[in-house]
Amino acid sequence: MKPLLIFFFTVISFYVSAQEKPISSIKIYLEDAETLKNINDAKVTLEGFEIPAIKAKYNKKEKYYYLDKIPSGYNTIMAYHKKYNEKGFQNISGLPKELRLQLHLPYRVKILGDSINFYKEDDHHIRLLFNDTILHTLETCPDFNSNLLCFAIEYIAKFHKDLVVKDELNIGDYSLNTITVEKKDKTKFKRFNDSTIEKLLGDKNILALYTILLLTKNTEKTYFSEDGTANYIPKFIRYIHCDSPNSYSNTYRDFKEKLKNGLIKNNIYKRNQKEISALANSDLIRINNGELFDNFDNNDTIVTSCQKLKMITSMPALQNYLKQYVAISNILSYNGIHLIDKNDTFRYQITYNLHDIAAYKKESSLIESKKINKEIEIFSLKNNTASPLGTMDLIEYYNALGINVHQKIEKSINQ
């Protein structure tokens, strides 16, 4: 009987030790997110924090990338391709034996819960939401709503010297005042293992990070083609009020010149390809500079008036929000963030859906709760140092496994 017990104890011990042993190899499958076809010419790497990347090999017969060994400190798989948007997966506590990643075209990025629209990521800028600690230090800039930039420039210059402040951006229905920053060297933010992101995540004065996705295609209009060519430029201009005796504006002179040269029929002018390309190029420059578009109409024809003193712009910008953008957060989905005043003290109050709280606590091995102060509790993914874009990668992966995780997406953006 005793030898039998020893045998069972040995088998169980071996099984437990095998379960605790770090994964010594990994297979990575890549496919096109739209066609689901295999991608065999990507660069797949094993990465860690401030250590050299290790390139994976490709098995042509089985159609997967693989690494035979995962050294200590390596916790991230990244996939790079000249035609696709990069994507990655990170878990500091250990990588899975098998990983499947779907790659999107850069102007055809999809987000969870949106089966219609396509987006492009802005990976050169991060939006910072300061927490309530900052509000108590605003001595030279007491007005939080209008003077946040004043304090942020001073704060970033002192504590995050590799960043520069670009502008202020209101995000979400509750108009969260965020600060847009970029790296001084103009390089993009990494999805994982970015030393700048890690420092921002460790800053107790920063509550959340956001990044912006540009809407490139929806049910009504294609704004950008798959290769980034701008398609949303209206092709026609309709001139109105050009027969008024007071029509001496620049628009009237432009109309008169076109009419004289036979370029206008029934007060409609069709832009030529050179003009369309010039407008498209100017707006692509704006994207590269991190600027936001005006809220363009979806129509192919814009209306412009020849009446004197009427402000004329090349594109209509009447709405007070930018519907071509969504903002995504590095913390998990919440109902809202409110700035409240208790005994002359400002604090943020984050509201979560009770169903989501239950779901998050159920996945305690994956999701953790953090207490910022007595008023603030946030839920985030464990075992990663991800930017909002990296968080998006992880959430997509976990949802594919059937785990109910949501990333906060804000649709109301106001500059």
Side-chain angles (χ1 to χ4, degrees):
M1 186 66 180
K2 186 174 181 181
L4 186 61
L5 289 173
I6 294 174
F7 171 76
F8 277 117
F9 178 76
T10 303
V11 171
I12 292 172
S13 298
F14 176 80
Y15 177 78
V16 171
S17 64
Q19 292 296 98
E20 294 177 348
K21 185 179 179 180
I23 302 300
S24 58
S25 63
I26 185 173
K27 298 178 182 178
I28 306 103
Y29 295 86
L30 296 185
E31 62 184 20
D32 185 296
E34 293 297 310
T35 66
L36 302 184
K37 290 183 179 179
N38 178 64
I39 298 174
N40 59 12
D41 58 344
K43 178 184 176 182
V44 177
T45 57
L46 176 66
E47 301 181 8
F49 185 73
E50 297 185 338
I51 50 179
I54 301 174
K55 187 176 179 180
K57 300 176 183 177
Y58 186 71
N59 185 316
K60 294 182 179 179
K61 184 178 180 180
E62 301 295 330
K63 297 183 178 180
Y64 62 77
Y65 301 83
Y66 67 95
L67 291 137
D68 293 324
K69 184 180 180 182
I70 300 181
S72 176
Y74 287 86
N75 50 47
T76 305
I77 293 293
M78 287 297 301
Y80 305 96
H81 194 287
K82 60 183 179 180
K83 293 183 178 179
Y84 291 94
N85 202 56
E86 65 186 51
K87 179 168 285 191
F89 176 86
Q90 181 185 75
N91 192 326
I92 294 173
S93 65
L95 293 168
K97 291 183 178 180
E98 183 177 300
L99 192 61
R100 293 182 179 270
L101 298 176
Q102 292 186 341
L103 302 187
H104 299 273
L105 298 173
Y107 282 77
R108 291 292 179 270
V109 174
K110 300 285 286 186
I111 59 176
L112 289 171
D114 189 344
S115 60
I116 297 174
N117 302 313
F118 292 96
Y119 301 87
K120 180 188 184 299
E121 300 174 354
D122 176 6
D123 50 15
H124 281 81
H125 301 88
I126 291 290
R127 278 78 189 178
L128 312 178
L129 178 64
F130 288 116
N131 69 18
D132 61 310
T133 309
I134 288 296
L135 301 183
H136 302 315
T137 65
L138 296 178
E139 296 177 359
T140 58
C141 304
D143 187 346
F144 177 72
N145 289 322
S146 62
N147 293 312
L148 176 60
L149 270 174
C150 175
F151 179 83
I153 291 172
E154 182 180 343
Y155 185 87
I156 294 300
K158 183 176 181 179
F159 297 105
H160 299 276
K161 299 182 185 298
D162 58 338
L163 295 175
V164 292
V165 174
K166 293 293 291 182
D167 55 37
E168 184 177 359
L169 189 68
N170 292 340
I171 291 178
D173 295 330
Y174 301 97
S175 295
L176 301 175
N177 297 84
T178 65
I179 292 296
T180 304
V181 296
E182 68 178 10
K183 293 187 178 182
K184 281 185 178 179
D185 61 7
K186 303 293 185 180
T187 57
K188 66 182 181 179
F189 290 93
K190 296 168 63 177
R191 304 172 96 81
F192 304 98
N193 298 309
D194 189 306
S195 58
T196 303
I197 292 289
E198 184 184 52
K199 190 174 180 181
L200 290 173
L201 293 175
D203 190 331
K204 294 182 179 180
N205 289 323
I206 296 174
L207 178 60
L209 307 182
Y210 293 86
T211 194
I212 298 292
L213 303 183
L214 165 67
L215 179 64
T216 65
K217 186 178 187 298
N218 61 18
T219 54
E220 301 176 19
K221 193 82 170 177
T222 298
Y223 296 94
F224 293 89
S225 63
E226 292 181 353
D227 64 356
T229 302
N231 296 322
Y232 60 83
I233 305 296
K235 296 179 180 179
F236 302 95
I237 302 175
R238 185 165 75 90
Y239 291 88
I240 61 173
H241 303 133
C242 293
D243 55 353
S244 168
N246 293 324
S247 296
Y248 297 108
S249 65
N250 290 332
T251 304
Y252 174 71
R253 288 193 290 269
D254 180 63
F255 168 81
K256 193 174 181 179
E257 187 68 24
K258 288 182 172 67
L259 183 64
K260 175 183 172 182
N261 290 299
L263 299 174
I264 290 182
K265 296 180 180 179
N266 299 322
N267 286 5
I268 297 291
Y269 170 72
K270 182 179 181 180
R271 283 176 167 148
N272 58 47
Q273 189 56 50
K274 184 178 180 180
E275 291 172 312
I276 293 175
S277 297
L279 287 170
N281 290 336
S282 66
D283 285 323
L284 286 175
I285 291 172
R286 294 185 70 185
I287 287 183
N288 294 332
N289 289 337
E291 298 176 31
L292 301 186
F293 287 125
D294 290 330
N295 191 21
F296 302 129
D297 199 329
N298 291 325
N299 296 323
D300 286 330
T301 302
I302 65 170
V303 178
T304 184
S305 174
C306 292
Q307 283 183 330
K308 190 179 180 181
L309 301 178
K310 184 173 179 65
M311 187 177 70
I312 302 299
T313 60
S314 61
M315 293 289 175
L318 302 177
Q319 292 85 344
N320 62 357
Y321 65 95
L322 301 166
K323 69 179 180 182
Q324 276 80 12
Y325 289 83
V326 298
I328 58 173
S329 174
N330 66 312
I331 61 178
L332 298 185
S333 185
Y334 52 82
N335 288 7
I337 300 180
H338 305 276
L339 189 60
I340 60 176
D341 180 8
K342 288 185 177 180
N343 300 322
D344 295 325
T345 300
F346 287 101
R347 291 186 182 276
Y348 281 117
Q349 178 69 54
I350 298 183
T351 306
Y352 282 94
N353 182 292
L354 293 178
H355 179 269
D356 287 340
I357 291 176
Y360 294 160
K361 289 184 176 179
K362 182 180 179 182
E363 302 292 345
S364 58
S365 62
L366 174 67
I367 298 171
E368 63 182 344
S369 168
K370 293 182 180 178
K371 289 277 189 179
I372 305 300
N373 56 39
K374 293 180 180 179
E375 302 294 334
I376 301 179
E377 179 182 26
I378 62 173
F379 291 93
S380 60
L381 294 174
K382 277 185 179 179
N383 301 322
N384 71 82
T385 55
S387 74
L389 297 176
T391 304
M392 185 168 67
D393 290 350
L394 295 178
I395 288 177
E396 180 181 322
Y397 173 80
Y398 289 128
N399 273 265
L401 297 180
I403 300 172
N404 188 29
V405 184
H406 303 284
Q407 185 174 33
K408 182 60 178 175
I409 298 175
E410 299 282 8
K411 295 183 179 180
S412 178
I413 311 295
N414 185 16
Q415 189 178 36

